[in-house]
Amino acid sequence: MSDKKMQVVFASAEAAPFVKTGGLGDVAGSLPRALVAAGADVIVMVPKYGTIASEYTDRMEHVADFYVSLGWRNEYCGLERLVIDGVTYLFIDNERYFKRDYPYGFFDDGERFAFFSKAVTESLQHLPEGFQCDVLHCNDWHTALAPVFLREFYQGLPLYERVKTVFSIHNIAFQGQYADTILNDILGMAHIPNAARQLRCDEHSINYMQGALDYSDAITTVSPSYAWEIQTPEYGEGLDGILRRRSNVLSGILNGIDTDAWNPATDPMIHANYSAADMSGKKACKAALQEELGLEVRDDRPLMVMVTRLTRQKGMDLVTYALDRILSGGVQVAVLGTGDYEEPMRYFANKYPGTCAARITFDNALSHRMYAGADMFLMPSLFEPCGLSQMIAMRYGTLPVVRETGGLRDTVAPYNQFTGEGTGFTFANFNGDEMGDAVFRGARLYWDDHAAWDQLVQNAMAADFSWVRSADEYMNLYHSLHPEIDITKPEPVVQESAPAEPVAVEAEPAAPAPEPTATKVEPAPKAEQAAEPADDAKAEAPAKAEEPAPKAEPAKKTAAKKTTASKTAAKKPAARKTAATKSTATKAAEKPAAKATATKPASTKTTAAKATATKTTTKATTSKATAAKTTAKKPSTASATKTATKSTATKAAPAKAAATKAAPAKAAASKTAADKPATAAATAPKAAAAKTAPAKASTSKAATSSAAKATAKPAAPKATAAKAAAPKAAAQDSSAATPADKPAPKAKSVSAAKRTTRKR
Ligand code: ADP
């Protein structure tokens, strides 16, 4: 083993807090810090978009510039450096491509991100001194060409020989598919038969993501279940064949969430702070949210929210199908989001004033208040690579109602009414009635069994969704590519007098998610039917008579507490400022060990003593076990949406955002782009979000609890996939109609519909 640290270049089209339009931005904002805490040196490469706030651009330091060849072009590329929380960010600067009003959705996206991928590859020659890239970790189609370029154009150079490539799929629905004229004109690869063959997906098109799947040394996706699902035609979006062929290098590593930014005990954006030990603040948050949204301020109404892109992927067909039943049954619903289903949401808000609210916008601060103030969080996705929102909801003690697919299946344990175990309510098939049943199982519990409800809330809040666990798995993966590099965690500065205290290890959260009991398969209580309206007339007014007797009602207690949320919205990004002063320092000065020591004294003690190796190992195992429990549910085809055909509603309709206001005029009038109209639609929905999304996503502090983290090597990455294949534990309260271990029939209609998004 060499003393060299694992040195990773992490390339992503977005990274919070600089630019975020969805989960990828969250991941690229959090995972690198967790990797640094796990002992790696990490450089994150992101385009220098025109939308990045000046508080960051002002502090960037120009470190290099060079030209990148792209077909017949020679494009300028600058590298601008910023160091935050031990992570070095190198922004790829080219104003023609990136100085625009939003990140995606332009007619020349294919060219822009081909440039980005080539620039990332070329940049490996211009890294700060001492940084020798071991792993180039690319994410989604925007960076998918980097492994292709690397092998075809750079492989022979000594510097590149050691570089292994990892490609992570965050959403296989977006692949970067373009007319094959691009192969010659932009990629300059038409003369390389191997490349041309592996990029081509049909007679007239090439597919960036397909290239990455063939060229990368390892492939990951963001949950074990999704890793399994995308190898099937139903979820593979046409790439399932390649993924099956390369399944030996494919693994699923669950995302985490930024547990500092999303912490109800400290969140400055919510009405009142609270924790698992003292939940009183949550009641106040609920009342404040009801008031803010114009809902009846009543604690006897379960309040269910959605914070999401309003798209077909997110299950909006089911929502619009079942909302009458849900709202007239006494459940309040509030939706925050933008997308293809804005009008239906406005319709329901108008039809059920006081019971339904729709906020058609992207509002980070409001999202915090909704996670905190709600009782339930609805996420009935058609497919869900990982999903962050359900994890955030659980952290805020808001119980998720989810469809058992992808990361939702891996993170939400269904309620077991016999054992009290579980962290939410789940259903298997993509079916509006099943979703409604799950919602009312939650509502019934809320109304009828406070103790059981409270226990479920405790279970959810105790689940460990920190990045520590995921970072360890990525480190193991990198290690499998570079076994000569020791990934044992660095020893923090030892404090002479600090004995190795086992307490620190035990103090780690790692509260295991409750394990579903395999033996009990309990038919879903149909109690909610009692609460449902018998006729349309009822639908117009909540069926109060049918509700269980509510408790004496807190009614107006919130009146005085008109929340100050809007002002808090701006707080987070500022928190980062201090890190800027280090931006010119050498990497050595940014060593994570020192940081960990400073921020986590308790943990420091733990790892300080080598002698605690066994303890650390134990801890690692514990956290693994936790993951195992939460992923215990089988990624069977059970949820393969046999009833998907039921969702007759609209198609994905991605083009909406493609209105993509004809790209800012001066920007790349590249003639090559003109012949690929498909490009504009490529990332349209994301663009919609981007346009409304403030570039400042919530920030957070350094990754937590670096110390006690697994210095020992847990199971190989593959193990997670294996886990995913384990038989699913009892479906508990989920629809008895679909036994958990029953392979579900294929859902051809789903696949067909989703395929409409493949041009992305
Ligand atoms: P996606 O598929 O969109 O990436 P995820 O659940 O993985 O879904 O992540 C969505 C992230 O975006 C979450 O942090 C969620 O809170 C946030 N988000 C989605 N829509 C909105 C909105 N309208 N306003 C504020 N935040 C939003």
Side-chain angles (χ1 to χ4, degrees), residues 254-480:
L254 206 54
N255 283 338
I257 56 171
D258 185 333
T259 48
D260 289 333
W262 298 107
N263 183 356
T266 56
D267 191 335
M269 300 189 208
I270 63 177
H271 184 75
N273 291 118
Y274 60 92
S275 64
D278 177 6
M279 294 293 287
S280 53
K282 187 162 176 69
K283 277 196 186 310
C285 286
K286 177 176 178 180
L289 181 64
Q290 285 173 320
E291 186 174 303
E292 177 184 356
L293 298 178
L295 301 172
E296 286 181 70
V297 181
R298 295 177 55 169
D299 195 37
D300 63 334
R301 295 277 190 204
L303 170 56
M304 181 169 71
V305 301
M306 299 182 76
V307 178
T308 184
R309 290 183 284 122
L310 302 177
T311 63
R312 186 158 191 267
Q313 179 202 330
K314 298 298 181 181
M316 292 309 296
D317 290 340
L318 304 192
V319 175
T320 50
Y321 170 85
L323 260 187
D324 271 322
R325 173 185 169 197
I326 292 168
L327 292 165
S328 57
V331 176
Q332 291 183 341
V333 175
V335 175
L336 169 63
T338 56
D340 306 328
Y341 292 73
E342 295 174 1
E343 276 318 305
M345 287 305 110
R346 288 197 181 99
Y347 163 80
F348 283 109
N350 287 334
K351 184 174 176 183
Y352 295 93
T355 304
C356 181
R359 292 292 178 271
I360 307 301
T361 178
F362 191 103
D363 185 336
N364 185 51
L366 177 55
S367 78
H368 282 246
R369 298 196 292 278
M370 289 179 72
Y371 285 118
D375 300 301
M376 295 191 284
F377 188 90
L378 180 60
M379 205 163 168
S381 303
L382 175 60
F383 63 98
E384 194 59 71
C386 177
L388 300 175
S389 306
Q390 81 282 8
M391 294 191 258
I392 298 170
M394 285 186 266
R395 179 132 174 93
Y396 282 74
T398 299
L399 298 181
V401 179
V402 304
R403 190 170 93 80
E404 295 161 8
T405 184
L408 299 175
R409 175 194 277 131
D410 294 338
T411 53
V412 180
Y415 170 57
N416 180 328
Q417 74 172 27
F418 298 108
T419 65
E421 291 171 318
T423 55
F425 306 93
T426 71
F427 63 101
N429 295 303
F430 194 69
N431 175 302
D433 292 321
E434 279 193 33
M435 187 198 82
D437 291 346
V439 169
F440 281 106
R441 280 201 298 282
R444 269 288 147 215
L445 196 69
Y446 181 87
W447 283 318
D448 296 344
D449 193 341
H450 294 276
W453 178 272
D454 291 345
Q455 182 55 51
L456 220 50
V457 168
Q458 290 292 322
N459 294 349
M461 293 182 81
D464 176 13
F465 296 122
S466 72
W467 273 105
V468 175
R469 166 186 42 78
S470 313
D472 284 345
E473 291 194 44
Y474 281 109
M475 288 299 280
N476 288 328
L477 173 65
Y478 301 154
H479 182 65
S480 72

